[in-house]
Amino acid sequence: MSDAGRFESLVLPWLDAAYNLARWLLRDEAAAEDVVQDAALRALRHLGSLRGEARPWFLAIVRNACFDHVQARRGRREQGGWEDEALEALQWQSGQAGADAASALQGTRERVQIDAAIRSLAPALREVVVLREIEGLDYAEIAQVAGLPIGTVMSRLARARTRLRELLEQAGVRP
């Protein structure tokens, strides 16, 4: 099978999941579209490096492309991994944080409040919630995408769920 055929069968089915992840990480629909396009090109170029399942591999590329996008908007490269506070600070400074909930209105008051609660999570917590609860990845796949030990994934997910529950209770939404 040609690289184009492999790409179509292995990567294209995950474009919606890739866009979802990018939109939640960047909080900007237009930027998410650009990042997914860039990630798809990266995936096509590096298709030979795919070992195992395509979904976590491609979502890891999308995640890294999101971080590259945030760094590029800041105009600098930082060494090492992304810390919760560092990514959040970059997003706030680049104007990507705090999207207006009214613009995200998708039908019901609860949906808007749930979206706002997810958006308010620290980036590392938001990432694991999106990958687990919205995209349905298991702990091992999340660990692969985020480059984390499974224990860290479980811990972040527990903290994210607790924080979401608190935020939704404050908003009067029954979790």
Side-chain angles (χ1 to χ4, degrees):
M1 179 183 290
S2 71
D3 277 350
R6 282 188 72 214
F7 179 80
E8 284 183 27
S9 66
L10 296 174
V11 176
L12 290 184
W14 306 116
L15 284 178
D16 287 342
Y19 173 75
N20 249 349
L21 177 60
R23 184 176 56 87
W24 281 108
L25 291 179
L26 299 173
R27 302 185 219 182
D28 179 337
E29 292 180 7
E33 290 173 2
D34 292 343
V35 164
V36 169
Q37 184 175 12
D38 179 51
L41 289 173
R42 289 182 193 183
L44 180 60
R45 276 194 302 265
H46 300 285
L47 197 57
S49 70
L50 171 61
R51 303 288 180 262
E53 292 190 39
R55 180 171 69 166
W57 175 80
F58 182 49
L59 292 178
I61 292 171
V62 170
R63 175 185 185 267
N64 292 335
C66 287
F67 294 153
D68 290 348
H69 175 81
V70 171
Q71 285 180 322
R73 289 201 56 178
R74 271 292 283 165
R76 70 176 194 191
R77 291 262 180 217
E78 292 187 15
Q79 298 294 325
W82 285 88
E83 297 298 323
D84 296 355
E85 297 80 19
L87 181 57
E88 188 71 20
L90 287 174
Q91 289 176 322
W92 277 103
Q93 291 170 6
S94 65
Q96 293 178 7
D100 182 14
S103 68
L105 186 59
Q106 296 179 9
T108 67
R109 179 176 174 264
E110 279 187 5
R111 182 73 227 158
V112 170
Q113 289 173 324
I114 291 168
D115 286 354
I118 293 171
R119 278 191 182 92
S120 72
L121 292 174
L125 300 181
R126 187 173 55 244
E127 176 181 42
V128 295
V129 164
V130 169
L131 291 171
R132 176 69 185 132
E133 305 302 341
I134 297 175
E135 294 306 325
L137 273 67
D138 63 32
Y139 294 148
E141 290 172 321
I142 296 169
Q144 182 181 351
V145 168
L148 299 169
I150 272 189
T152 302
V153 169
M154 294 169 69
S155 171
R156 286 185 183 178
L157 193 53
R159 287 190 347 247
R161 288 173 173 159
T162 298
R163 183 67 183 136
L164 278 174
R165 191 174 307 111
E166 291 168 356
L167 290 167
L168 293 173
E169 285 174 357
Q170 289 172 2
V173 176
R174 228 168 175 201

